[in-house]
Amino acid sequence: MKFFLDTANLAQIREACEMGVLDGVTTNPSLMAKENIRGEEACRRHYVEICNLVKGDVSAEVIATDFDGMVREGTELAALHPQIVVKLPCTAEGIRAVKYFAQRSVRTNCTLVFSVGQALLAAKAGATYVSPFVGRLDDISEDGIGLVAHIVRVYRTYGFRTQVLAASIRHTHHIIQCLDAGADVATCPLSAIKGLLKHPLTDSGLAQFLADHARVNG
Ligand code: G3P
């Protein structure tokens, strides 16, 4: 399973790259706003900066909601850098745009997916990635990881090549559940990735090793 970082924060992207475990980045308009990146030009410069930091796919989301606007914007985003994946909402117009880009070999990430039916349409249209939102389903007492597992099952049964990119990952245990569900990618906050490292027996074991070494070596 690949690890993407779900952020537009350059410091966090650098930190994850230095850990040596980062396979890509996903952004969305809320994450760009969180970094206070204003205006089309600044957004585009920021996407290129992210691409220059990370080796791997970088999802950049369109703002337009109509087909023509999504095609225009997505074409411009894809031209920014070969690592850019055009992120499109799972609406009727968005699915049309996924198909348009698939026919032109432009990679897409179909986002805001909350049902297996939406994931089916994204795959039939030729999306490179589909993004089911795990945490937001959990927020309303639905089973986010269950949806990831269901989509993986359907894609495997019918041979769809669209990769399941589990999004809206909120904590470390979600990442482990994504492994069990067979997700191709989990896009996560840095804190959730770092949480994988934590184990009290690692800490106490290391402290014991260092104490024993110091006892004999002074
Ligand atoms: O990748 C989508 C993600 O950013 C949404 O996460 O935590 O806002 O539901 P969240």
Side-chain angles (χ1 to χ4, degrees):
M1 185 174 79
K2 288 184 181 170
F3 275 146
F4 287 2
L5 206 59
D6 196 26
T7 188
N9 182 285
L10 298 179
Q12 289 189 12
I13 294 168
R14 266 188 218 103
E15 190 179 336
C17 284
E18 280 162 12
M19 280 175 79
V21 298
L22 193 61
D23 300 304
V25 169
T26 52
T27 64
N28 63 38
S30 302
L31 294 170
M32 295 291 277
K34 199 168 160 194
E35 301 307 315
N36 207 18
I37 301 153
R38 296 156 192 254
E40 219 170 87
E41 270 319 300
C43 281
R44 289 178 184 183
R45 273 198 307 275
H46 200 78
Y47 291 136
V48 172
E49 254 189 281
I50 294 174
C51 290
N52 289 336
L53 282 178
V54 65
K55 282 192 180 59
D57 289 348
V58 175
S59 288
E61 188 159 343
V62 300
I63 303 298
T65 54
D66 63 299
F67 173 76
D68 290 335
M70 284 192 248
V71 162
R72 191 173 51 250
E73 221 184 302
T75 304
E76 288 169 8
L77 288 171
L80 288 176
H81 198 283
Q83 284 165 240
I84 293 280
V85 174
V86 180
K87 203 171 181 187
L88 299 153
C90 193
T91 59
E93 302 278 291
I95 293 293
R96 248 184 95 194
V98 166
K99 178 84 183 176
Y100 172 94
F101 285 120
Q103 285 168 334
R104 288 157 183 80
S105 301
V106 173
R107 291 170 314 135
T108 55
N109 176 354
C110 190
T111 189
L112 289 165
V113 166
F114 295 93
S115 74
V116 75
Q118 290 177 314
L120 173 65
L121 290 176
K124 283 186 78 74
T128 313
Y129 296 102
V130 67
S131 289
F133 275 35
V134 172
R136 292 193 194 185
L137 280 169
D138 290 358
D139 286 344
I140 58 162
S141 292
E142 290 197 24
D143 180 6
I145 293 293
L147 175 63
V148 172
H150 193 172
I151 296 170
V152 167
R153 235 171 22 245
V154 168
Y155 282 7
R156 291 206 178 133
T157 301
Y158 290 96
F160 288 117
R161 289 168 58 195
T162 300
Q163 294 179 57
V164 181
L165 190 168
S168 185
I169 295 298
R170 299 279 175 74
H171 49 72
T172 304
H173 189 56
H174 270 158
I175 300 179
I176 304 300
Q177 290 176 302
C178 284
L179 287 172
D180 289 337
D184 298 290
V185 187
T187 188
C188 320
L190 184 57
S191 57
I193 295 177
K194 285 162 104 175
L196 292 167
L197 273 175
K198 286 188 195 152
H199 201 289
L201 292 180
T202 304
D203 298 339
S204 60
L206 183 59
Q208 184 69 56
F209 287 157
L210 295 179
D212 290 344
H213 177 82
R215 190 167 38 79
V216 172
N217 293 277

